[in-house]
Amino acid sequence: MTEKAFQADVIRVAKMLGWLCYHTFDSRRSASGFPDLVLVRERILYRELKVGKNKLSPTQELWRDSIMDAGGDWAEWRETDMDDIVADLSRRPTQANS
């Protein structure tokens, strides 16, 4: 599976589950290493998509560390994780006073 096809699958599922999805289609003039997807519903997810044996670049690691240090929800998703991806996108945060 290509990363493009994987990304299309993730976006399709996310939209079906009510997420707003942002992806920079032409990253040539964008900051290097920024996550592939930003997903927004009742929380904001920053997701880097990888297929096969592809690994994070140093700039992707910097973005990951910076987002997580700031309290952001960052994760790496692989094509082999589709069941977990659907579960993560389906999950609603628990209410503190429920």
Side-chain angles (χ1 to χ4, degrees):
M1 172 179 276
T2 67
E3 188 169 308
K4 184 176 182 177
F6 174 43
Q7 179 176 283
D9 286 348
V10 170
I11 289 173
R12 180 183 49 77
V13 169
K15 286 183 176 182
M16 283 182 2
L17 294 169
W19 291 87
L20 292 174
C21 304
Y22 175 80
H23 168 70
T24 301
F25 289 98
D26 184 355
S27 61
R28 289 178 292 183
R29 293 185 179 173
S30 298
S32 177
F34 191 78
D36 291 315
L37 295 176
V38 178
L39 305 163
V40 180
R41 199 172 65 184
E42 65 281 338
R43 53 193 169 117
I44 301 173
L45 309 178
Y46 300 89
R47 295 298 186 258
E48 183 61 37
L49 306 179
K50 294 291 181 192
V51 296
K53 295 182 180 183
N54 291 345
K55 296 182 179 182
L56 295 176
S57 70
T59 54
Q60 289 171 326
E61 291 175 348
L62 176 61
W63 274 103
R64 173 200 62 202
D65 296 345
S66 298
I67 289 168
M68 292 176 76
D69 287 348
D73 186 336
W74 183 99
E76 181 180 322
W77 282 347
R78 295 193 164 270
E79 78 278 14
T80 55
D81 301 328
M82 204 60 186
D83 289 342
D84 293 332
I85 292 167
V86 172
D88 191 16
L89 293 173
S90 297
R91 182 174 54 86
R92 299 254 181 206
T94 57
Q95 298 293 325
N97 296 325
S98 295

Coordinates of all heavy atoms in Angstrom, one line a residue:
M1 N 0.8 -1.2 0.0 CA 0.0 0.0 0.0 C 0.9 1.2 0.0 O 1.9 1.3 0.7 CB -0.9 0.0 1.2 CG -1.7 1.3 1.4 SD -2.8 1.3 2.9 CE -4.2 0.5 2.2
T2 N 0.5 2.2 -0.8 CA 1.3 3.5 -0.8 C 0.8 4.4 0.3 O -0.3 4.2 0.9 CB 1.0 4.2 -2.1 OG1 -0.3 4.7 -2.2 CG2 1.4 3.4 -3.3
E3 N 1.6 5.3 0.7 CA 1.2 6.3 1.8 C 0.0 7.1 1.3 O -0.9 7.4 2.1 CB 2.4 7.2 2.2 CG 2.1 8.0 3.4 CD 3.3 8.7 4.0 OE1 4.3 8.1 4.2 OE2 3.2 9.9 4.1
K4 N 0.0 7.4 0.0 CA -1.2 8.2 -0.5 C -2.5 7.4 -0.3 O -3.5 8.0 0.1 CB -0.9 8.5 -2.0 CG -2.0 9.4 -2.6 CD -1.6 9.8 -4.0 CE -2.6 10.7 -4.6 NZ -2.2 11.1 -6.0
A5 N -2.5 6.1 -0.7 CA -3.7 5.3 -0.5 C -4.0 5.1 1.0 O -5.2 5.2 1.3 CB -3.5 3.9 -1.2
F6 N -3.0 4.9 1.8 CA -3.3 4.8 3.2 C -3.9 6.1 3.8 O -4.9 6.1 4.5 CB -1.9 4.5 3.9 CG -2.0 4.5 5.4 CD1 -3.0 3.9 6.1 CD2 -1.0 5.0 6.2 CE1 -3.1 3.9 7.5 CE2 -1.0 5.0 7.5 CZ -2.0 4.4 8.2
Q7 N -3.3 7.2 3.4 CA -3.8 8.5 3.8 C -5.3 8.7 3.4 O -6.1 9.1 4.2 CB -3.0 9.6 3.3 CG -3.4 11.0 3.7 CD -2.5 12.0 3.2 OE1 -1.4 12.2 3.8 NE2 -2.8 12.7 2.2
A8 N -5.6 8.3 2.2 CA -7.0 8.4 1.7 C -7.9 7.6 2.5 O -9.0 8.0 2.8 CB -7.0 8.0 0.2
D9 N -7.5 6.4 2.9 CA -8.3 5.5 3.7 C -8.6 6.2 5.1 O -9.7 6.2 5.6 CB -7.7 4.1 3.9 CG -7.7 3.3 2.7 OD1 -8.5 3.6 1.7 OD2 -7.0 2.2 2.7
V10 N -7.5 6.7 5.7 CA -7.6 7.3 7.0 C -8.6 8.5 6.9 O -9.5 8.7 7.8 CB -6.2 7.7 7.6 CG1 -6.4 8.6 8.8 CG2 -5.4 6.5 7.9
I11 N -8.4 9.4 5.9 CA -9.2 10.5 5.8 C -10.7 10.1 5.6 O -11.6 10.7 6.2 CB -8.7 11.4 4.7 CG1 -7.4 12.1 5.1 CG2 -9.8 12.5 4.3 CD1 -6.7 12.9 4.0
R12 N -10.9 9.1 4.8 CA -12.3 8.6 4.5 C -13.0 8.2 5.8 O -14.1 8.6 6.1 CB -12.3 7.5 3.5 CG -13.6 6.9 3.2 CD -13.6 5.7 2.2 NE -12.6 4.7 2.6 CZ -12.8 3.8 3.6 NH1 -13.9 3.8 4.3 NH2 -11.8 2.9 3.9
V13 N -12.3 7.4 6.6 CA -12.8 6.9 7.9 C -13.0 8.1 8.9 O -14.1 8.2 9.5 CB -11.9 5.9 8.5 CG1 -12.3 5.6 10.0 CG2 -11.9 4.6 7.7
A14 N -12.0 9.0 8.9 CA -12.1 10.1 9.8 C -13.4 11.0 9.5 O -14.1 11.4 10.4 CB -10.9 11.0 9.8
K15 N -13.5 11.3 8.2 CA -14.7 12.1 7.8 C -16.0 11.4 8.1 O -17.0 12.0 8.5 CB -14.6 12.5 6.3 CG -13.5 13.5 6.1 CD -13.5 13.9 4.6 CE -12.5 15.1 4.4 NZ -12.5 15.5 3.0
M16 N -16.1 10.1 7.9 CA -17.3 9.3 8.2 C -17.6 9.4 9.7 O -18.8 9.4 10.1 CB -17.1 7.8 7.9 CG -17.2 7.6 6.4 SD -17.1 5.8 5.9 CE -16.9 4.9 7.4
L17 N -16.6 9.6 10.6 CA -16.8 9.7 12.0 C -16.9 11.1 12.5 O -16.8 11.3 13.7 CB -15.6 8.9 12.7 CG -15.6 7.4 12.5 CD1 -14.4 6.8 13.0 CD2 -16.9 6.8 13.1
G18 N -17.0 12.0 11.6 CA -17.2 13.4 12.0 C -16.0 14.3 12.2 O -16.1 15.4 12.8
W19 N -14.8 13.9 11.8 CA -13.6 14.7 12.0 C -13.4 15.7 10.9 O -13.6 15.3 9.7 CB -12.4 13.7 12.1 CG -12.4 12.9 13.3 CD1 -12.9 11.7 13.5 CD2 -11.7 13.2 14.5 NE1 -12.7 11.2 14.7 CE2 -11.9 12.1 15.4 CE3 -10.9 14.3 15.0 CZ2 -11.4 12.1 16.7 CZ3 -10.4 14.2 16.3 CH2 -10.7 13.1 17.1
L20 N -12.9 16.8 11.2 CA -12.4 17.8 10.2 C -10.9 17.3 10.0 O -10.2 17.0 10.9 CB -12.4 19.2 10.7 CG -13.7 19.9 10.9 CD1 -13.5 21.2 11.6 CD2 -14.4 20.0 9.6
C21 N -10.5 17.3 8.7 CA -9.2 16.7 8.4 C -8.4 17.8 7.6 O -8.9 18.4 6.6 CB -9.3 15.5 7.5 SG -10.3 14.2 8.2
Y22 N -7.2 18.0 8.1 CA -6.3 18.9 7.3 C -5.1 18.2 6.9 O -4.4 17.5 7.7 CB -5.9 20.1 8.2 CG -4.9 21.0 7.4 CD1 -5.3 21.9 6.4 CD2 -3.5 20.8 7.6 CE1 -4.4 22.6 5.7 CE2 -2.6 21.6 6.9 CZ -3.0 22.4 5.9 OH -2.2 23.2 5.2
H23 N -4.7 18.3 5.6 CA -3.5 17.8 5.1 C -2.9 18.8 4.1 O -3.7 19.3 3.3 CB -3.7 16.5 4.4 CG -2.6 16.0 3.5 ND1 -1.4 15.6 4.1 CD2 -2.4 16.0 2.2 CE1 -0.5 15.3 3.1 NE2 -1.1 15.5 2.0
T24 N -1.6 19.1 4.2 CA -1.0 20.0 3.2 C -0.8 19.2 1.9 O 0.0 18.3 1.9 CB 0.3 20.6 3.8 OG1 0.1 21.2 5.0 CG2 1.0 21.5 2.8
F25 N -1.4 19.6 0.9 CA -1.3 18.8 -0.4 C 0.0 19.0 -1.1 O 0.5 18.2 -1.8 CB -2.5 19.1 -1.3 CG -3.8 18.6 -0.8 CD1 -4.7 19.3 -0.1 CD2 -4.1 17.2 -1.0 CE1 -5.9 18.8 0.4 CE2 -5.3 16.7 -0.5 CZ -6.2 17.5 0.2
D26 N 0.5 20.2 -1.0 CA 1.8 20.5 -1.7 C 2.7 21.1 -0.6 O 2.7 22.3 -0.3 CB 1.6 21.5 -2.8 CG 2.9 21.8 -3.6 OD1 3.9 21.3 -3.2 OD2 2.8 22.5 -4.6
S27 N 3.6 20.3 -0.1 CA 4.4 20.7 1.1 C 5.7 21.3 0.7 O 6.5 21.6 1.6 CB 4.7 19.5 2.0 OG 5.4 18.5 1.3
R28 N 6.0 21.6 -0.6 CA 7.3 22.1 -1.0 C 7.6 23.4 -0.4 O 8.8 23.7 -0.2 CB 7.3 22.2 -2.5 CG 7.4 20.9 -3.2 CD 7.4 21.0 -4.7 NE 6.0 21.5 -5.1 CZ 5.7 21.7 -6.4 NH1 6.5 21.5 -7.3 NH2 4.5 22.1 -6.7
R29 N 6.6 24.2 0.0 CA 6.9 25.5 0.6 C 6.4 25.6 2.1 O 6.3 26.6 2.7 CB 6.2 26.6 -0.2 CG 6.7 26.8 -1.5 CD 6.1 28.0 -2.3 NE 6.8 28.1 -3.6 CZ 6.4 28.9 -4.5 NH1 5.3 29.7 -4.2 NH2 7.0 29.0 -5.6
S30 N 6.2 24.4 2.7 CA 5.8 24.3 4.1 C 6.9 23.9 4.9 O 7.9 23.3 4.4 CB 4.6 23.3 4.2 OG 3.5 23.7 3.4
A31 N 6.8 24.0 6.2 CA 7.8 23.6 7.2 C 8.0 22.1 7.1 O 7.1 21.3 7.1 CB 7.4 24.0 8.6
S32 N 9.3 21.7 7.0 CA 9.6 20.3 6.9 C 9.3 19.6 8.2 O 9.5 20.1 9.3 CB 11.1 20.2 6.6 OG 11.6 18.9 6.6
G33 N 8.8 18.4 8.0 CA 8.5 17.5 9.2 C 7.2 17.6 9.9 O 6.9 16.9 10.8
F34 N 6.4 18.6 9.4 CA 5.0 18.8 10.1 C 4.2 17.5 9.8 O 4.3 16.9 8.8 CB 4.3 20.0 9.5 CG 3.1 20.4 10.3 CD1 3.2 21.1 11.5 CD2 1.8 20.1 9.9 CE1 2.1 21.4 12.3 CE2 0.7 20.4 10.6 CZ 0.8 21.1 11.8
P35 N 3.4 17.1 10.8 CA 2.6 15.9 10.7 C 1.7 15.9 9.4 O 1.3 16.9 9.0 CB 1.8 15.8 11.9 CG 2.5 16.7 12.9 CD 3.2 17.7 12.1
D36 N 1.5 14.7 8.9 CA 0.7 14.5 7.7 C -0.7 15.0 7.9 O -1.3 15.6 6.9 CB 0.7 13.0 7.3 CG 2.0 12.6 6.8 OD1 2.6 13.3 6.0 OD2 2.4 11.5 7.2
L37 N -1.3 14.7 9.0 CA -2.7 15.0 9.2 C -2.9 15.8 10.6 O -2.3 15.4 11.6 CB -3.6 13.8 9.3 CG -3.7 12.9 8.0 CD1 -4.5 11.7 8.3 CD2 -4.3 13.8 6.9
V38 N -3.8 16.7 10.5 CA -4.4 17.3 11.8 C -5.9 17.1 11.7 O -6.5 17.4 10.7 CB -4.1 18.9 11.8 CG1 -4.7 19.5 13.1 CG2 -2.6 19.1 11.8
L39 N -6.3 16.4 12.7 CA -7.7 16.0 12.8 C -8.4 16.6 14.0 O -7.8 16.7 15.1 CB -7.8 14.4 13.0 CG -7.1 13.6 11.9 CD1 -6.8 12.2 12.3 CD2 -7.8 13.7 10.6
V40 N -9.6 17.2 13.8 CA -10.3 18.0 14.8 C -11.7 17.5 15.0 O -12.4 17.4 14.0 CB -10.2 19.5 14.5 CG1 -11.0 20.3 15.6 CG2 -8.8 20.0 14.3
R41 N -12.1 17.2 16.2 CA -13.5 17.0 16.5 C -13.6 17.6 17.9 O -13.5 18.8 18.1 CB -13.8 15.5 16.5 CG -15.3 15.2 16.4 CD -15.6 13.7 16.1 NE -15.2 12.9 17.3 CZ -15.2 11.6 17.3 NH1 -15.7 10.9 16.2 NH2 -14.9 10.9 18.3
E42 N -13.7 16.8 19.0 CA -13.7 17.3 20.3 C -12.3 17.3 20.9 O -12.1 17.8 22.0 CB -14.7 16.5 21.3 CG -14.3 15.1 21.5 CD -14.6 14.2 20.4 OE1 -15.5 14.5 19.6 OE2 -14.0 13.1 20.2
R43 N -11.4 16.9 20.1 CA -9.9 17.0 20.5 C -9.2 17.2 19.2 O -9.7 17.1 18.1 CB -9.5 15.7 21.2 CG -9.8 14.5 20.5 CD -9.6 13.2 21.4 NE -10.2 12.1 20.8 CZ -9.5 11.0 20.4 NH1 -8.2 10.9 20.7 NH2 -10.1 10.0 19.8
I44 N -7.9 17.5 19.3 CA -7.1 17.8 18.1 C -6.0 16.7 18.1 O -5.3 16.5 19.1 CB -6.4 19.1 18.2 CG1 -7.5 20.2 18.2 CG2 -5.5 19.3 17.0 CD1 -6.9 21.6 18.4
L45 N -5.9 16.0 17.0 CA -4.9 14.9 16.8 C -3.9 15.3 15.7 O -4.3 15.8 14.7 CB -5.6 13.6 16.3 CG -6.8 13.1 17.1 CD1 -7.4 11.9 16.5 CD2 -6.4 12.9 18.6
Y46 N -2.6 15.1 16.0 CA -1.6 15.3 15.0 C -1.1 13.9 14.7 O -0.6 13.2 15.6 CB -0.4 16.1 15.6 CG -0.9 17.5 16.0 CD1 -1.3 17.7 17.3 CD2 -0.8 18.6 15.2 CE1 -1.7 19.0 17.7 CE2 -1.2 19.8 15.5 CZ -1.7 20.0 16.8 OH -2.1 21.3 17.2
R47 N -1.2 13.5 13.4 CA -0.8 12.1 13.0 C 0.2 12.1 11.9 O 0.0 12.8 10.9 CB -2.1 11.3 12.7 CG -3.0 11.1 13.8 CD -2.4 10.3 15.0 NE -3.3 10.0 16.0 CZ -3.3 10.6 17.2 NH1 -2.5 11.7 17.5 NH2 -4.1 10.2 18.2
E48 N 1.2 11.4 12.1 CA 2.2 11.1 11.0 C 1.9 9.7 10.5 O 1.8 8.7 11.2 CB 3.6 11.2 11.6 CG 4.7 11.0 10.6 CD 4.7 12.0 9.5 OE1 4.4 13.2 9.8 OE2 5.0 11.7 8.3
L49 N 1.8 9.6 9.2 CA 1.4 8.3 8.5 C 2.7 7.7 7.9 O 3.4 8.4 7.2 CB 0.4 8.5 7.5 CG -0.9 9.2 7.9 CD1 -1.9 9.4 6.7 CD2 -1.6 8.5 9.1
K50 N 2.9 6.4 8.1 CA 4.0 5.7 7.6 C 3.6 4.4 7.0 O 2.7 3.7 7.6 CB 5.1 5.5 8.7 CG 5.8 6.8 9.2 CD 6.6 7.4 8.1 CE 7.3 8.7 8.6 NZ 7.9 9.4 7.5
V51 N 4.2 4.0 6.0 CA 4.0 2.6 5.4 C 5.3 1.9 5.3 O 6.4 2.5 5.2 CB 3.3 2.7 4.0 CG1 1.9 3.4 4.1 CG2 4.1 3.4 3.0
G52 N 5.2 0.6 5.3 CA 6.4 -0.2 5.2 C 7.4 0.0 6.3 O 7.0 0.1 7.4
K53 N 8.6 0.1 5.9 CA 9.7 0.3 6.9 C 10.1 1.8 7.0 O 11.1 2.1 7.6 CB 10.9 -0.6 6.5 CG 10.6 -2.0 6.5 CD 11.8 -2.9 6.2 CE 11.5 -4.3 6.3 NZ 12.6 -5.2 6.0
N54 N 9.3 2.7 6.4 CA 9.7 4.1 6.5 C 9.8 4.5 8.0 O 9.0 4.1 8.8 CB 8.6 4.9 5.8 CG 8.7 4.8 4.3 OD1 9.6 4.2 3.8 ND2 7.6 5.2 3.6
K55 N 10.7 5.4 8.3 CA 10.9 5.9 9.6 C 10.8 7.4 9.7 O 10.9 8.1 8.6 CB 12.3 5.5 10.1 CG 12.5 4.0 10.2 CD 13.8 3.6 10.8 CE 13.9 2.1 10.9 NZ 15.2 1.6 11.4
L56 N 10.6 7.9 10.9 CA 10.6 9.4 11.1 C 11.9 10.0 10.7 O 13.0 9.5 11.1 CB 10.2 9.7 12.5 CG 8.9 9.3 13.0 CD1 8.7 9.6 14.5 CD2 7.7 9.9 12.2
S57 N 11.8 11.1 10.1 CA 13.0 11.9 9.8 C 13.4 12.7 11.1 O 12.5 12.9 12.0 CB 12.8 12.9 8.6 OG 11.9 13.9 9.0
P58 N 14.6 13.3 11.2 CA 14.9 14.1 12.3 C 14.0 15.3 12.5 O 13.6 15.6 13.6 CB 16.4 14.6 12.0 CG 16.9 13.5 11.2 CD 15.8 13.0 10.3
T59 N 13.5 15.9 11.4 CA 12.6 17.0 11.6 C 11.2 16.6 12.0 O 10.5 17.3 12.8 CB 12.5 17.9 10.3 OG1 12.1 17.1 9.2 CG2 13.8 18.6 10.0
Q60 N 10.8 15.4 11.6 CA 9.5 14.8 12.1 C 9.6 14.5 13.6 O 8.7 14.7 14.3 CB 9.2 13.6 11.3 CG 8.7 13.9 9.9 CD 8.6 12.7 9.0 OE1 9.3 11.7 9.1 NE2 7.6 12.7 8.1
E61 N 10.8 14.0 14.0 CA 11.0 13.7 15.4 C 11.0 15.0 16.2 O 10.4 15.0 17.3 CB 12.3 13.0 15.6 CG 12.3 11.6 15.1 CD 13.7 10.9 15.2 OE1 14.7 11.6 15.5 OE2 13.8 9.7 15.0
L62 N 11.5 16.1 15.7 CA 11.5 17.4 16.4 C 10.0 17.9 16.5 O 9.6 18.3 17.6 CB 12.3 18.4 15.6 CG 12.3 19.9 16.1 CD1 12.8 19.9 17.6 CD2 13.0 20.8 15.2
W63 N 9.2 17.8 15.4 CA 7.8 18.2 15.5 C 7.1 17.3 16.6 O 6.3 17.8 17.4 CB 7.1 18.1 14.2 CG 7.3 19.3 13.3 CD1 8.1 19.5 12.3 CD2 6.6 20.5 13.5 NE1 8.0 20.8 11.8 CE2 7.0 21.4 12.5 CE3 5.6 20.9 14.4 CZ2 6.5 22.7 12.4 CZ3 5.1 22.2 14.3 CH2 5.6 23.1 13.3
R64 N 7.3 16.0 16.5 CA 6.7 15.0 17.5 C 7.0 15.5 18.9 O 6.1 15.6 19.7 CB 7.2 13.6 17.2 CG 6.8 12.6 18.3 CD 7.7 11.4 18.3 NE 9.0 11.7 18.7 CZ 10.1 10.9 18.4 NH1 9.9 9.8 17.8 NH2 11.3 11.3 18.8
D65 N 8.3 15.6 19.2 CA 8.7 16.0 20.5 C 8.1 17.3 21.0 O 7.7 17.5 22.1 CB 10.2 16.0 20.6 CG 10.9 14.6 20.4 OD1 10.1 13.6 20.4 OD2 12.1 14.6 20.2
S66 N 8.1 18.3 20.1 CA 7.6 19.6 20.4 C 6.1 19.6 20.7 O 5.6 20.2 21.6 CB 8.0 20.6 19.3 OG 9.4 20.7 19.2
I67 N 5.4 18.9 19.8 CA 3.9 18.8 20.0 C 3.6 18.1 21.3 O 2.8 18.5 22.1 CB 3.3 18.1 18.8 CG1 3.3 19.0 17.5 CG2 1.8 17.7 19.1 CD1 3.0 18.3 16.2
M68 N 4.3 17.0 21.6 CA 4.0 16.2 22.8 C 4.4 17.0 24.0 O 3.7 17.0 25.0 CB 4.7 14.9 22.7 CG 4.0 14.0 21.6 SD 4.8 12.4 21.4 CE 4.2 11.5 22.9
D69 N 5.6 17.7 24.0 CA 6.0 18.5 25.1 C 5.0 19.6 25.4 O 4.8 20.1 26.6 CB 7.4 19.2 24.8 CG 8.5 18.2 24.9 OD1 8.3 17.0 25.4 OD2 9.6 18.5 24.5
A70 N 4.3 20.1 24.4 CA 3.2 21.1 24.6 C 1.9 20.6 25.0 O 0.9 21.3 25.1 CB 3.1 22.0 23.3
G71 N 1.8 19.2 25.2 CA 0.6 18.6 25.6 C -0.3 18.1 24.4 O -1.4 17.7 24.6
G72 N 0.2 18.2 23.2 CA -0.5 17.8 22.0 C -0.6 16.3 21.9 O 0.2 15.5 22.4
D73 N -1.6 15.8 21.2 CA -1.9 14.4 21.0 C -1.3 14.0 19.6 O -1.9 14.2 18.6 CB -3.4 14.1 21.0 CG -3.7 12.7 20.9 OD1 -2.9 11.9 20.4 OD2 -4.9 12.3 21.3
W74 N 0.0 13.5 19.6 CA 0.7 13.1 18.4 C 0.9 11.6 18.4 O 1.1 11.0 19.5 CB 2.1 13.8 18.4 CG 2.9 13.5 17.2 CD1 3.0 14.4 16.1 CD2 3.6 12.4 16.9 NE1 3.8 13.8 15.2 CE2 4.2 12.5 15.6 CE3 3.9 11.2 17.5 CZ2 5.0 11.6 15.0 CZ3 4.7 10.2 16.9 CH2 5.2 10.4 15.7
A75 N 0.8 11.0 17.3 CA 1.1 9.6 17.1 C 1.5 9.3 15.7 O 1.1 10.0 14.8 CB -0.2 8.7 17.5
E76 N 2.2 8.2 15.6 CA 2.5 7.6 14.3 C 1.5 6.5 14.0 O 1.3 5.6 14.8 CB 3.9 7.1 14.3 CG 4.4 6.5 13.0 CD 5.8 6.0 13.1 OE1 6.7 6.7 13.8 OE2 6.1 5.0 12.5
W77 N 0.9 6.6 12.8 CA 0.0 5.5 12.4 C 0.6 4.8 11.2 O 1.1 5.5 10.3 CB -1.4 6.1 12.0 CG -2.3 6.5 13.1 CD1 -2.1 6.1 14.4 CD2 -3.5 7.2 13.1 NE1 -3.1 6.6 15.2 CE2 -4.0 7.3 14.4 CE3 -4.1 7.8 12.0 CZ2 -5.2 8.0 14.6 CZ3 -5.3 8.5 12.3 CH2 -5.8 8.6 13.6
R78 N 0.5 3.5 11.2 CA 0.9 2.6 10.1 C -0.2 1.9 9.4 O -1.2 1.7 10.1 CB 2.0 1.7 10.5 CG 3.2 2.4 11.0 CD 4.4 1.5 11.2 NE 5.6 2.3 11.3 CZ 6.4 2.6 10.3 NH1 6.1 2.2 9.1 NH2 7.5 3.4 10.4
E79 N -0.1 1.5 8.2 CA -1.2 0.8 7.5 C -1.6 -0.4 8.2 O -2.7 -0.9 8.0 CB -0.8 0.6 6.0 CG 0.1 -0.6 5.8 CD 1.6 -0.3 6.0 OE1 2.0 0.7 6.6 OE2 2.4 -1.1 5.5
T80 N -0.7 -1.0 9.0 CA -1.0 -2.3 9.7 C -1.9 -2.0 10.9 O -2.3 -2.9 11.6 CB 0.2 -3.0 10.1 OG1 1.1 -2.1 10.8 CG2 1.0 -3.5 8.8
D81 N -2.1 -0.7 11.3 CA -2.8 -0.3 12.5 C -4.2 0.1 12.3 O -4.8 0.7 13.1 CB -2.0 0.8 13.2 CG -0.6 0.6 13.6 OD1 -0.3 -0.6 13.9 OD2 0.2 1.5 13.5
M82 N -4.8 -0.3 11.1 CA -6.1 0.3 10.8 C -7.2 0.0 11.8 O -8.0 0.9 12.1 CB -6.5 -0.2 9.4 CG -7.5 0.7 8.7 SD -6.8 2.4 8.5 CE -8.2 3.2 7.8
D83 N -7.2 -1.1 12.4 CA -8.2 -1.4 13.5 C -8.0 -0.5 14.6 O -9.0 0.1 15.2 CB -8.1 -2.9 14.0 CG -8.6 -3.9 12.9 OD1 -9.4 -3.4 12.0 OD2 -8.3 -5.0 13.1
D84 N -6.8 -0.2 15.1 CA -6.5 0.7 16.2 C -6.8 2.1 15.8 O -7.3 2.9 16.6 CB -5.1 0.6 16.6 CG -4.7 -0.7 17.3 OD1 -5.7 -1.4 17.9 OD2 -3.6 -1.2 17.2
I85 N -6.6 2.5 14.5 CA -6.9 3.8 14.0 C -8.4 4.1 14.1 O -8.8 5.1 14.6 CB -6.4 4.0 12.6 CG1 -4.8 4.0 12.6 CG2 -6.9 5.3 12.0 CD1 -4.2 3.9 11.2
V86 N -9.2 3.1 13.6 CA -10.6 3.3 13.7 C -11.1 3.4 15.1 O -12.0 4.2 15.5 CB -11.3 2.1 12.9 CG1 -12.8 2.1 13.2 CG2 -11.0 2.1 11.5
A87 N -10.5 2.6 16.0 CA -10.9 2.6 17.4 C -10.6 4.0 18.0 O -11.4 4.6 18.8 CB -10.2 1.5 18.2
D88 N -9.4 4.5 17.7 CA -9.0 5.8 18.2 C -9.9 6.9 17.7 O -10.3 7.8 18.5 CB -7.5 6.1 17.8 CG -6.9 7.3 18.5 OD1 -7.4 7.8 19.5 OD2 -5.8 7.8 18.0
L89 N -10.2 6.9 16.4 CA -11.1 7.9 15.8 C -12.5 7.8 16.3 O -13.3 8.8 16.3 CB -11.1 7.8 14.3 CG -9.8 8.2 13.7 CD1 -9.8 7.9 12.2 CD2 -9.4 9.7 13.9
S90 N -12.9 6.6 16.8 CA -14.3 6.4 17.3 C -14.4 6.8 18.7 O -15.5 7.0 19.2 CB -14.7 4.9 17.1 OG -14.7 4.5 15.8
R91 N -13.3 6.8 19.5 CA -13.3 7.1 20.9 C -13.7 8.5 21.2 O -13.2 9.5 20.5 CB -12.0 6.8 21.5 CG -11.9 7.0 23.0 CD -10.5 6.5 23.5 NE -9.3 7.1 22.8 CZ -8.8 8.3 23.2 NH1 -9.3 9.0 24.2 NH2 -7.8 8.8 22.5
R92 N -14.6 8.7 22.2 CA -14.9 10.0 22.7 C -14.2 10.2 24.0 O -14.2 9.3 24.8 CB -16.4 10.2 22.8 CG -17.2 10.0 21.6 CD -17.7 11.3 21.1 NE -18.5 11.1 19.8 CZ -18.6 12.0 19.0 NH1 -18.1 13.2 19.1 NH2 -19.3 11.8 17.9
P93 N -13.7 11.4 24.3 CA -13.1 11.6 25.6 C -14.1 11.5 26.7 O -15.3 11.8 26.6 CB -12.5 13.0 25.5 CG -13.1 13.7 24.4 CD -13.7 12.6 23.5
T94 N -13.6 11.0 27.9 CA -14.5 10.9 29.0 C -14.7 12.3 29.6 O -13.8 13.2 29.6 CB -13.9 10.0 30.1 OG1 -12.6 10.5 30.5 CG2 -13.8 8.6 29.5
Q95 N -15.9 12.5 30.1 CA -16.2 13.8 30.8 C -15.8 13.7 32.3 O -16.1 12.8 33.0 CB -17.7 14.1 30.7 CG -18.2 14.2 29.3 CD -17.7 15.5 28.6 OE1 -17.5 16.5 29.2 NE2 -17.4 15.4 27.3
A96 N -15.1 14.7 32.8 CA -14.6 14.8 34.1 C -15.8 14.8 35.1 O -15.7 14.2 36.2 CB -13.7 16.0 34.3
N97 N -16.8 15.4 34.8 CA -18.0 15.5 35.8 C -19.2 14.7 35.4 O -20.3 15.1 35.7 CB -18.3 17.0 35.9 CG -17.2 17.8 36.5 OD1 -16.5 17.3 37.4 ND2 -17.1 19.1 36.1
S98 N -19.0 13.7 34.7 CA -20.1 12.8 34.3 C -20.5 11.8 35.3 O -19.7 11.3 36.0 CB -19.8 12.1 33.0 OG -19.6 13.0 31.9

